[in-house]
Amino acid sequence: MRDITDCELDQVSGGKNFFADLSSALTKASNAVASADSSLLKTAATAQTDLAAHPQAAKAAATLFGDASTVLTSVEKGLSSLATLAANTSVSVTTGSNSASVTVTV
């Protein structure tokens, strides 16, 4: 058996930098969601100030913004976990006379 060349690996596994590129994209997405959550929390604070004279509306807005923030936080954590998983994944391909094997290490 022999180690496959970088050119051959590009053909088999989507490119030698596939998992690094995937991790980078997921990290960027995670950062974008975290930024959106931060903006949401700032808007929620402004809404609470604006609705101070209307306690029922303020309470409803607080619930709505809180629920939305919880969802965004969960999405951000999930994307971050996927980015870490992709960053720690590697693929090696070896070939033999009549066979080939692919090993994915996480």
Side-chain angles (χ1 to χ4, degrees):
M1 296 234 270
R2 68 175 175 80
D3 287 334
I4 198 162
T5 67
D6 284 345
C7 182
E8 292 168 318
L9 184 58
D10 282 345
Q11 298 298 316
V12 173
S13 66
K16 62 183 176 182
N17 294 323
F18 175 76
F19 287 106
D21 293 344
L22 177 60
S23 177
S24 178
L26 290 168
T27 297
K28 287 177 184 176
S30 176
N31 290 340
V33 171
S35 178
D37 188 33
S38 178
S39 294
L40 176 75
L41 292 175
K42 289 176 186 173
T43 301
T46 300
Q48 288 303 303
T49 300
D50 293 346
L51 294 172
H54 308 284
Q56 293 292 2
K59 182 178 178 182
T63 299
L64 177 68
F65 283 115
D67 290 349
S69 180
T70 299
V71 169
L72 289 173
T73 299
S74 295
V75 170
E76 186 271 327
K77 286 180 181 179
L79 289 168
S80 181
S81 294
L82 289 171
T84 299
L85 183 64
N88 294 322
T89 300
S90 64
V91 176
S92 65
V93 180
T94 55
T95 59
S97 57
N98 292 318
S99 65
S101 65
V102 177
T103 304
V104 178
T105 306
V106 179

Coordinates of all heavy atoms in Angstrom, one line a residue:
M1 N 0.8 -1.2 0.0 CA 0.0 0.0 0.0 C 0.9 1.2 0.0 O 2.0 1.2 0.5 CB -0.9 0.0 1.2 CG -1.9 -1.2 1.2 SD -3.6 -0.7 1.4 CE -3.8 -0.7 3.2
R2 N 0.3 2.3 -0.5 CA 1.1 3.6 -0.6 C 0.2 4.7 -0.1 O -1.0 4.6 -0.2 CB 1.6 3.8 -2.0 CG 0.5 4.1 -3.0 CD 1.0 4.5 -4.4 NE 0.0 4.6 -5.4 CZ -0.8 5.7 -5.5 NH1 -0.6 6.8 -4.7 NH2 -1.7 5.8 -6.4
D3 N 0.8 5.8 0.3 CA 0.0 7.0 0.6 C -0.4 7.6 -0.7 O 0.4 7.6 -1.7 CB 0.9 8.0 1.4 CG 1.1 7.5 2.8 OD1 0.2 6.8 3.3 OD2 2.1 7.9 3.4
I4 N -1.6 8.2 -0.7 CA -2.1 8.8 -1.9 C -1.5 10.2 -2.0 O -1.2 10.8 -1.0 CB -3.6 8.8 -1.9 CG1 -4.2 9.0 -3.3 CG2 -4.1 9.8 -0.9 CD1 -5.6 8.6 -3.4
T5 N -1.3 10.7 -3.2 CA -0.7 12.0 -3.4 C -1.8 13.1 -3.1 O -3.0 12.8 -3.1 CB -0.3 12.2 -4.9 OG1 -1.4 12.2 -5.7 CG2 0.7 11.1 -5.3
D6 N -1.3 14.3 -2.9 CA -2.2 15.4 -2.6 C -3.2 15.6 -3.8 O -4.4 15.9 -3.6 CB -1.4 16.7 -2.4 CG -0.8 16.8 -1.1 OD1 -1.1 16.0 -0.2 OD2 0.1 17.7 -0.9
C7 N -2.7 15.4 -5.0 CA -3.6 15.6 -6.2 C -4.7 14.5 -6.1 O -5.9 14.8 -6.4 CB -2.8 15.5 -7.5 SG -3.7 15.7 -8.9
E8 N -4.3 13.3 -5.8 CA -5.3 12.2 -5.7 C -6.3 12.5 -4.6 O -7.5 12.2 -4.7 CB -4.6 10.9 -5.6 CG -3.8 10.4 -6.8 CD -2.9 9.3 -6.6 OE1 -2.3 9.2 -5.5 OE2 -2.9 8.4 -7.4
L9 N -5.7 13.0 -3.5 CA -6.6 13.2 -2.3 C -7.6 14.3 -2.6 O -8.7 14.2 -2.2 CB -5.7 13.7 -1.1 CG -6.4 13.9 0.2 CD1 -7.2 12.7 0.7 CD2 -5.4 14.3 1.3
D10 N -7.2 15.3 -3.4 CA -8.1 16.4 -3.8 C -9.3 15.8 -4.5 O -10.4 16.2 -4.4 CB -7.4 17.4 -4.7 CG -6.6 18.4 -3.9 OD1 -6.7 18.5 -2.7 OD2 -5.7 19.1 -4.6
Q11 N -9.0 14.8 -5.4 CA -10.1 14.1 -6.1 C -11.0 13.3 -5.2 O -12.2 13.2 -5.5 CB -9.5 13.2 -7.2 CG -8.7 14.0 -8.2 CD -9.5 15.0 -9.0 OE1 -10.6 14.7 -9.4 NE2 -8.9 16.2 -9.2
V12 N -10.5 12.7 -4.2 CA -11.3 11.8 -3.4 C -12.0 12.5 -2.3 O -13.2 12.2 -2.1 CB -10.3 10.7 -2.8 CG1 -11.1 9.8 -1.8 CG2 -9.7 9.8 -3.9
S13 N -11.4 13.4 -1.6 CA -12.0 13.9 -0.3 C -12.5 15.3 -0.4 O -12.7 15.9 0.6 CB -11.0 13.8 0.8 OG -9.9 14.6 0.6
G14 N -12.6 15.8 -1.6 CA -13.0 17.2 -1.7 C -11.9 18.2 -1.5 O -12.2 19.4 -1.4
G15 N -10.7 17.8 -1.6 CA -9.6 18.7 -1.4 C -8.9 18.5 -0.1 O -9.5 18.2 0.9
K16 N -7.6 18.7 -0.1 CA -6.8 18.5 1.1 C -7.2 19.5 2.2 O -6.9 19.2 3.4 CB -5.3 18.5 0.8 CG -4.8 19.8 0.3 CD -3.3 19.7 0.0 CE -2.8 21.0 -0.7 NZ -1.4 20.9 -1.0
N17 N -7.7 20.6 1.8 CA -8.1 21.6 2.8 C -9.6 21.6 3.1 O -10.1 22.6 3.7 CB -7.7 23.0 2.4 CG -6.2 23.1 2.3 OD1 -5.5 22.6 3.1 ND2 -5.7 23.8 1.3
F18 N -10.3 20.6 2.6 CA -11.8 20.6 2.8 C -12.2 20.8 4.2 O -13.1 21.7 4.4 CB -12.3 19.2 2.2 CG -13.8 19.1 2.4 CD1 -14.7 19.8 1.6 CD2 -14.3 18.3 3.4 CE1 -16.1 19.7 1.8 CE2 -15.7 18.2 3.6 CZ -16.6 18.9 2.8
F19 N -11.7 20.0 5.1 CA -12.2 20.1 6.5 C -11.8 21.5 7.2 O -12.5 22.0 8.0 CB -11.8 18.9 7.3 CG -12.6 17.7 7.0 CD1 -12.0 16.7 6.3 CD2 -13.9 17.6 7.3 CE1 -12.7 15.6 5.9 CE2 -14.7 16.5 7.0 CZ -14.0 15.4 6.3
A20 N -10.6 21.9 6.8 CA -10.1 23.2 7.3 C -11.0 24.4 6.8 O -11.4 25.3 7.5 CB -8.7 23.5 7.0
D21 N -11.4 24.3 5.5 CA -12.2 25.3 4.9 C -13.7 25.2 5.5 O -14.3 26.2 5.7 CB -12.3 25.1 3.4 CG -11.0 25.4 2.7 OD1 -10.1 26.0 3.3 OD2 -10.8 25.0 1.5
L22 N -14.1 24.0 5.7 CA -15.4 23.8 6.3 C -15.4 24.4 7.7 O -16.4 25.1 8.1 CB -15.8 22.3 6.4 CG -17.1 21.9 7.0 CD1 -18.3 22.6 6.3 CD2 -17.3 20.4 7.0
S23 N -14.4 24.1 8.5 CA -14.3 24.6 9.9 C -14.3 26.2 9.8 O -15.0 26.8 10.6 CB -13.0 24.1 10.5 OG -12.9 24.7 11.8
S24 N -13.6 26.7 8.9 CA -13.5 28.2 8.8 C -14.9 28.8 8.5 O -15.3 29.8 9.1 CB -12.5 28.6 7.7 OG -12.5 30.0 7.5
A25 N -15.6 28.1 7.5 CA -17.0 28.6 7.2 C -17.9 28.5 8.4 O -18.7 29.4 8.6 CB -17.5 27.8 6.0
L26 N -17.8 27.4 9.1 CA -18.7 27.2 10.2 C -18.4 28.2 11.4 O -19.3 28.7 12.0 CB -18.6 25.8 10.8 CG -19.2 24.7 9.9 CD1 -18.8 23.3 10.3 CD2 -20.7 24.9 9.8
T27 N -17.1 28.5 11.5 CA -16.7 29.5 12.5 C -17.2 30.9 12.2 O -17.7 31.6 13.0 CB -15.2 29.5 12.7 OG1 -14.7 28.2 13.1 CG2 -14.7 30.6 13.6
K28 N -17.1 31.2 10.9 CA -17.7 32.5 10.4 C -19.2 32.6 10.7 O -19.7 33.6 11.1 CB -17.3 32.8 9.0 CG -15.9 33.1 8.7 CD -15.6 33.2 7.3 CE -14.1 33.4 7.0 NZ -13.8 33.5 5.6
A29 N -19.9 31.5 10.4 CA -21.3 31.5 10.6 C -21.6 31.6 12.1 O -22.6 32.3 12.5 CB -21.9 30.2 10.0
S30 N -20.9 30.9 12.9 CA -21.1 31.0 14.4 C -20.9 32.4 14.9 O -21.7 32.9 15.7 CB -20.1 30.0 15.1 OG -20.2 30.1 16.5
N31 N -19.8 33.1 14.4 CA -19.6 34.4 14.8 C -20.7 35.4 14.3 O -21.0 36.3 15.0 CB -18.2 34.9 14.2 CG -17.0 34.2 14.9 OD1 -17.2 33.7 16.0 ND2 -15.9 34.2 14.2
A32 N -21.2 35.1 13.1 CA -22.3 36.0 12.6 C -23.6 35.8 13.5 O -24.2 36.8 13.8 CB -22.6 35.6 11.2
V33 N -23.8 34.6 13.9 CA -25.0 34.4 14.8 C -24.8 35.0 16.1 O -25.7 35.6 16.7 CB -25.3 32.8 14.9 CG1 -26.3 32.6 16.0 CG2 -25.7 32.3 13.6
A34 N -23.6 34.9 16.7 CA -23.3 35.6 17.9 C -23.4 37.1 17.8 O -23.9 37.7 18.8 CB -21.8 35.2 18.4
S35 N -23.0 37.6 16.7 CA -23.2 39.1 16.5 C -24.7 39.4 16.4 O -25.1 40.5 17.0 CB -22.5 39.5 15.2 OG -22.7 40.8 14.9
A36 N -25.4 38.6 15.7 CA -26.9 38.9 15.6 C -27.5 38.8 17.0 O -28.4 39.6 17.4 CB -27.5 37.8 14.7
D37 N -27.1 37.9 17.9 CA -27.6 37.7 19.2 C -27.3 39.0 20.0 O -28.1 39.5 20.8 CB -27.1 36.5 19.9 CG -27.8 36.2 21.2 OD1 -29.0 36.5 21.4 OD2 -27.1 35.6 22.1
S38 N -26.1 39.5 19.9 CA -25.6 40.7 20.6 C -26.5 41.9 20.2 O -27.0 42.7 21.0 CB -24.2 41.0 20.3 OG -23.8 42.1 20.9
S39 N -26.7 42.0 18.9 CA -27.6 43.1 18.4 C -29.0 42.9 18.9 O -29.7 43.9 19.2 CB -27.6 43.1 16.8 OG -26.3 43.4 16.3
L40 N -29.5 41.7 18.9 CA -30.8 41.5 19.4 C -31.0 41.9 20.9 O -31.9 42.5 21.3 CB -31.2 40.0 19.3 CG -32.5 39.5 19.9 CD1 -33.7 40.0 19.0 CD2 -32.6 38.0 20.1
L41 N -30.0 41.6 21.7 CA -30.0 42.0 23.1 C -30.0 43.5 23.3 O -30.7 44.0 24.2 CB -28.8 41.3 23.9 CG -28.9 39.8 24.0 CD1 -27.7 39.2 24.6 CD2 -30.2 39.4 24.7
K42 N -29.2 44.2 22.4 CA -29.2 45.6 22.5 C -30.6 46.2 22.1 O -31.1 47.1 22.7 CB -28.2 46.2 21.6 CG -26.8 46.0 22.0 CD -25.7 46.4 21.0 CE -24.3 46.1 21.5 NZ -23.3 46.4 20.5
T43 N -31.2 45.6 21.1 CA -32.6 46.0 20.7 C -33.6 45.7 21.8 O -34.5 46.6 22.0 CB -32.9 45.3 19.4 OG1 -32.0 45.7 18.4 CG2 -34.3 45.8 18.9
A44 N -33.4 44.6 22.4 CA -34.3 44.3 23.5 C -34.3 45.3 24.7 O -35.3 45.7 25.2 CB -34.0 42.9 24.1
A45 N -33.0 45.7 25.0 CA -32.9 46.7 26.0 C -33.6 48.0 25.6 O -34.2 48.7 26.4 CB -31.4 47.0 26.3
T46 N -33.4 48.4 24.4 CA -34.0 49.7 23.9 C -35.6 49.5 23.9 O -36.3 50.4 24.3 CB -33.6 49.9 22.4 OG1 -32.2 50.1 22.4 CG2 -34.2 51.2 21.9
A47 N -36.1 48.3 23.5 CA -37.5 48.1 23.5 C -38.1 48.2 24.9 O -39.1 48.8 25.2 CB -37.8 46.7 22.9
Q48 N -37.3 47.7 25.9 CA -37.8 47.7 27.3 C -37.9 49.2 27.8 O -38.8 49.5 28.5 CB -36.9 46.9 28.2 CG -37.0 45.4 28.0 CD -38.4 44.9 28.2 OE1 -39.0 45.1 29.3 NE2 -38.9 44.3 27.2
T49 N -36.9 50.0 27.4 CA -36.9 51.4 27.7 C -38.1 52.1 27.1 O -38.9 52.8 27.7 CB -35.6 52.1 27.3 OG1 -34.5 51.5 28.0 CG2 -35.6 53.6 27.7
D50 N -38.3 51.8 25.8 CA -39.4 52.4 25.1 C -40.8 52.0 25.6 O -41.8 52.7 25.4 CB -39.3 52.1 23.6 CG -38.1 52.8 22.9 OD1 -37.5 53.7 23.6 OD2 -37.7 52.4 21.8
L51 N -40.9 50.8 26.1 CA -42.2 50.2 26.5 C -42.4 50.4 28.0 O -43.3 49.8 28.6 CB -42.3 48.8 26.1 CG -42.3 48.5 24.6 CD1 -42.2 47.0 24.3 CD2 -43.6 49.1 24.0
A52 N -41.5 51.1 28.7 CA -41.6 51.2 30.2 C -43.0 51.7 30.7 O -43.5 51.2 31.7 CB -40.6 52.2 30.7
A53 N -43.7 52.5 29.9 CA -45.0 52.9 30.3 C -46.1 51.9 30.0 O -47.3 52.1 30.4 CB -45.4 54.2 29.6
H54 N -45.8 50.8 29.4 CA -46.7 49.8 29.0 C -46.2 48.4 29.5 O -45.6 47.6 28.8 CB -46.9 49.7 27.5 CG -47.3 51.1 26.9 ND1 -48.5 51.6 27.1 CD2 -46.5 52.0 26.2 CE1 -48.5 52.8 26.4 NE2 -47.3 53.0 25.9
P55 N -46.5 48.1 30.8 CA -45.9 46.9 31.4 C -46.2 45.6 30.7 O -45.4 44.7 30.6 CB -46.4 46.9 32.8 CG -47.2 48.2 33.0 CD -47.3 48.9 31.7
Q56 N -47.5 45.5 30.2 CA -47.9 44.2 29.6 C -47.1 44.0 28.3 O -46.6 43.0 27.9 CB -49.4 44.2 29.3 CG -50.2 44.1 30.6 CD -50.1 42.8 31.3 OE1 -49.3 41.9 30.9 NE2 -50.8 42.6 32.4
A57 N -47.0 45.1 27.5 CA -46.2 45.1 26.2 C -44.7 44.8 26.5 O -44.1 44.1 25.8 CB -46.4 46.3 25.4
A58 N -44.2 45.4 27.6 CA -42.8 45.2 27.9 C -42.5 43.8 28.3 O -41.5 43.2 27.9 CB -42.4 46.2 29.1
K59 N -43.5 43.2 29.0 CA -43.3 41.8 29.4 C -43.4 40.9 28.2 O -42.6 40.0 28.1 CB -44.4 41.4 30.4 CG -44.3 40.0 30.9 CD -45.4 39.7 31.9 CE -45.3 38.2 32.4 NZ -46.4 37.9 33.3
A60 N -44.3 41.1 27.3 CA -44.4 40.3 26.1 C -43.1 40.5 25.2 O -42.6 39.5 24.7 CB -45.6 40.7 25.3
A61 N -42.6 41.7 25.1 CA -41.4 41.9 24.3 C -40.2 41.2 25.0 O -39.4 40.6 24.3 CB -41.2 43.4 24.2
A62 N -40.1 41.3 26.3 CA -39.0 40.6 27.0 C -39.1 39.1 26.8 O -38.0 38.5 26.5 CB -39.1 40.9 28.5
T63 N -40.2 38.5 26.8 CA -40.4 37.1 26.5 C -40.0 36.8 25.1 O -39.2 35.8 24.8 CB -41.8 36.6 26.7 OG1 -42.2 36.9 28.1 CG2 -42.0 35.2 26.4
L64 N -40.4 37.6 24.1 CA -40.1 37.4 22.7 C -38.6 37.5 22.5 O -38.0 36.6 21.8 CB -40.9 38.4 21.8 CG -40.6 38.3 20.3 CD1 -41.1 37.0 19.8 CD2 -41.2 39.5 19.6
F65 N -38.0 38.6 22.9 CA -36.6 38.8 22.8 C -35.8 37.7 23.5 O -34.8 37.2 23.0 CB -36.1 40.2 23.2 CG -36.5 41.2 22.2 CD1 -37.4 42.2 22.6 CD2 -35.9 41.3 21.0 CE1 -37.7 43.3 21.7 CE2 -36.2 42.3 20.1 CZ -37.1 43.3 20.4
G66 N -36.2 37.3 24.7 CA -35.5 36.2 25.4 C -35.5 34.9 24.7 O -34.5 34.2 24.6
D67 N -36.7 34.6 24.1 CA -36.8 33.3 23.4 C -35.9 33.3 22.1 O -35.3 32.4 21.8 CB -38.3 33.0 23.0 CG -39.1 32.7 24.2 OD1 -38.6 32.4 25.3 OD2 -40.4 32.6 24.1
A68 N -36.0 34.5 21.4 CA -35.1 34.6 20.2 C -33.7 34.5 20.6 O -32.9 33.8 19.8 CB -35.4 35.9 19.5
S69 N -33.3 35.1 21.7 CA -31.9 35.0 22.1 C -31.5 33.6 22.4 O -30.3 33.1 22.1 CB -31.6 35.9 23.3 OG -30.3 35.9 23.7
T70 N -32.3 32.9 23.1 CA -32.1 31.5 23.4 C -31.8 30.6 22.2 O -30.9 29.8 22.1 CB -33.2 30.9 24.3 OG1 -33.4 31.6 25.5 CG2 -33.0 29.4 24.6
V71 N -32.7 30.8 21.2 CA -32.5 30.1 19.9 C -31.2 30.5 19.2 O -30.4 29.6 18.8 CB -33.7 30.4 18.9 CG1 -33.4 29.9 17.5 CG2 -35.0 29.8 19.5
L72 N -30.9 31.8 19.2 CA -29.6 32.2 18.6 C -28.4 31.6 19.3 O -27.4 31.2 18.7 CB -29.5 33.7 18.5 CG -30.5 34.3 17.4 CD1 -30.4 35.9 17.6 CD2 -30.1 33.9 16.0
T73 N -28.5 31.6 20.6 CA -27.4 31.1 21.4 C -27.2 29.6 21.1 O -26.0 29.1 21.0 CB -27.6 31.3 22.9 OG1 -27.7 32.7 23.1 CG2 -26.5 30.7 23.8
S74 N -28.3 28.8 21.0 CA -28.2 27.4 20.7 C -27.6 27.2 19.3 O -26.8 26.3 19.2 CB -29.6 26.8 20.8 OG -30.1 26.8 22.1
V75 N -28.0 28.0 18.4 CA -27.5 27.8 17.0 C -26.0 28.1 17.0 O -25.2 27.4 16.4 CB -28.2 28.7 16.0 CG1 -27.5 28.8 14.7 CG2 -29.7 28.3 15.9
E76 N -25.6 29.2 17.7 CA -24.2 29.6 17.7 C -23.3 28.5 18.4 O -22.3 28.1 17.9 CB -24.0 30.9 18.5 CG -22.6 31.4 18.5 CD -21.8 30.9 19.7 OE1 -22.3 30.6 20.8 OE2 -20.6 30.7 19.5
K77 N -23.8 27.9 19.4 CA -23.1 26.8 20.1 C -23.0 25.6 19.2 O -21.9 24.9 19.1 CB -23.7 26.4 21.4 CG -23.5 27.4 22.5 CD -24.2 27.0 23.8 CE -24.0 28.0 24.9 NZ -24.6 27.7 26.2
G78 N -24.1 25.3 18.5 CA -24.0 24.1 17.5 C -23.1 24.3 16.4 O -22.3 23.4 16.1
L79 N -23.1 25.5 15.8 CA -22.1 25.8 14.8 C -20.7 25.8 15.3 O -19.8 25.3 14.6 CB -22.4 27.2 14.1 CG -23.7 27.3 13.3 CD1 -24.0 28.7 13.0 CD2 -23.5 26.5 12.0
S80 N -20.5 26.3 16.4 CA -19.1 26.3 17.0 C -18.6 24.8 17.2 O -17.5 24.5 17.0 CB -19.1 27.0 18.4 OG -17.9 27.0 18.9
S81 N -19.5 24.0 17.7 CA -19.2 22.6 17.9 C -18.9 21.9 16.6 O -17.9 21.1 16.5 CB -20.3 21.8 18.6 OG -20.5 22.3 19.9
L82 N -19.7 22.2 15.6 CA -19.4 21.6 14.2 C -18.1 22.1 13.7 O -17.3 21.3 13.0 CB -20.5 21.9 13.3 CG -21.8 21.2 13.5 CD1 -23.0 21.8 12.6 CD2 -21.7 19.7 13.3
A83 N -17.7 23.4 13.9 CA -16.5 23.9 13.4 C -15.3 23.2 14.1 O -14.3 22.9 13.4 CB -16.4 25.4 13.7
T84 N -15.4 23.0 15.4 CA -14.4 22.2 16.1 C -14.2 20.8 15.6 O -13.1 20.3 15.4 CB -14.7 22.2 17.6 OG1 -14.7 23.6 18.1 CG2 -13.6 21.5 18.4
L85 N -15.3 20.2 15.4 CA -15.3 18.8 14.8 C -14.6 18.8 13.4 O -13.8 17.9 13.2 CB -16.7 18.3 14.7 CG -16.9 16.8 14.2 CD1 -16.3 15.9 15.2 CD2 -18.4 16.5 14.0
A86 N -15.0 19.7 12.6 CA -14.4 19.8 11.3 C -12.9 20.1 11.3 O -12.1 19.5 10.6 CB -15.1 20.8 10.4
A87 N -12.5 21.0 12.3 CA -11.1 21.3 12.4 C -10.3 20.1 12.9 O -9.1 20.0 12.5 CB -10.9 22.5 13.4
N88 N -10.9 19.2 13.6 CA -10.2 18.0 14.1 C -10.4 16.8 13.3 O -10.0 15.7 13.7 CB -10.6 17.8 15.6 CG -10.2 18.9 16.5 OD1 -9.1 19.5 16.4 ND2 -11.1 19.3 17.4
T89 N -10.9 16.9 12.1 CA -11.1 15.8 11.2 C -10.1 15.7 10.1 O -9.8 16.8 9.6 CB -12.6 15.9 10.6 OG1 -13.5 15.9 11.6 CG2 -12.8 14.7 9.7
S90 N -9.6 14.6 9.9 CA -8.6 14.4 8.8 C -9.0 13.2 8.0 O -9.6 12.3 8.5 CB -7.2 14.3 9.3 OG -7.0 13.2 10.1
V91 N -8.6 13.2 6.8 CA -8.9 12.0 5.9 C -7.5 11.5 5.4 O -6.7 12.3 4.9 CB -9.8 12.4 4.7 CG1 -10.0 11.3 3.8 CG2 -11.1 12.9 5.2
S92 N -7.3 10.2 5.4 CA -6.1 9.6 4.8 C -6.6 8.5 3.9 O -7.6 7.8 4.3 CB -5.1 9.1 5.8 OG -5.6 8.1 6.5
V93 N -6.1 8.4 2.7 CA -6.5 7.4 1.8 C -5.2 6.6 1.4 O -4.2 7.2 1.1 CB -7.1 8.1 0.5 CG1 -7.5 7.0 -0.5 CG2 -8.3 8.9 0.9
T94 N -5.3 5.3 1.5 CA -4.2 4.5 1.0 C -4.8 3.5 0.0 O -5.9 3.1 0.0 CB -3.6 3.7 2.2 OG1 -4.6 3.0 2.9 CG2 -2.9 4.6 3.1
T95 N -3.9 3.1 -0.9 CA -4.3 2.2 -2.0 C -3.4 1.0 -2.0 O -2.3 1.0 -1.6 CB -4.3 2.9 -3.4 OG1 -2.9 3.3 -3.6 CG2 -5.2 4.0 -3.4
G96 N -4.0 -0.1 -2.3 CA -3.2 -1.4 -2.5 C -3.3 -1.8 -3.9 O -3.9 -1.1 -4.8
S97 N -2.9 -3.0 -4.2 CA -2.9 -3.5 -5.6 C -4.3 -3.6 -6.1 O -4.6 -3.3 -7.3 CB -2.1 -4.9 -5.7 OG -2.7 -5.8 -4.8
N98 N -5.2 -4.1 -5.3 CA -6.6 -4.3 -5.7 C -7.6 -3.6 -4.8 O -8.8 -3.9 -4.9 CB -6.9 -5.7 -5.9 CG -6.2 -6.4 -7.0 OD1 -6.0 -5.8 -8.1 ND2 -5.7 -7.6 -6.7
S99 N -7.1 -2.7 -4.0 CA -8.1 -2.1 -3.0 C -7.6 -0.7 -2.6 O -6.5 -0.4 -2.9 CB -8.2 -3.0 -1.8 OG -7.0 -3.0 -1.1
A100 N -8.5 0.0 -2.0 CA -8.2 1.3 -1.4 C -9.0 1.4 -0.1 O -10.0 0.8 0.1 CB -8.6 2.4 -2.4
S101 N -8.4 2.1 0.8 CA -9.1 2.3 2.1 C -9.1 3.8 2.4 O -8.1 4.5 2.1 CB -8.5 1.5 3.2 OG -7.2 1.9 3.5
V102 N -10.1 4.3 3.0 CA -10.2 5.7 3.5 C -10.4 5.6 5.0 O -11.2 4.9 5.5 CB -11.4 6.4 2.8 CG1 -11.6 7.8 3.3 CG2 -11.3 6.3 1.3
T103 N -9.6 6.4 5.6 CA -9.6 6.5 7.1 C -10.0 8.0 7.4 O -9.3 8.9 7.0 CB -8.3 6.2 7.7 OG1 -7.9 4.8 7.3 CG2 -8.4 6.2 9.3
V104 N -11.1 8.1 8.2 CA -11.5 9.4 8.6 C -11.2 9.5 10.1 O -11.7 8.6 10.9 CB -13.0 9.7 8.3 CG1 -13.4 11.1 8.9 CG2 -13.3 9.6 6.9
T105 N -10.4 10.4 10.6 CA -10.0 10.6 12.0 C -10.7 11.8 12.5 O -10.5 12.9 11.9 CB -8.5 10.6 12.1 OG1 -7.9 9.5 11.5 CG2 -8.1 10.7 13.6
V106 N -11.4 11.7 13.6 CA -12.0 12.8 14.2 C -11.5 13.0 15.6 O -11.2 12.1 16.3 CB -13.6 12.6 14.4 CG1 -14.2 13.7 15.0 CG2 -14.2 12.3 13.0

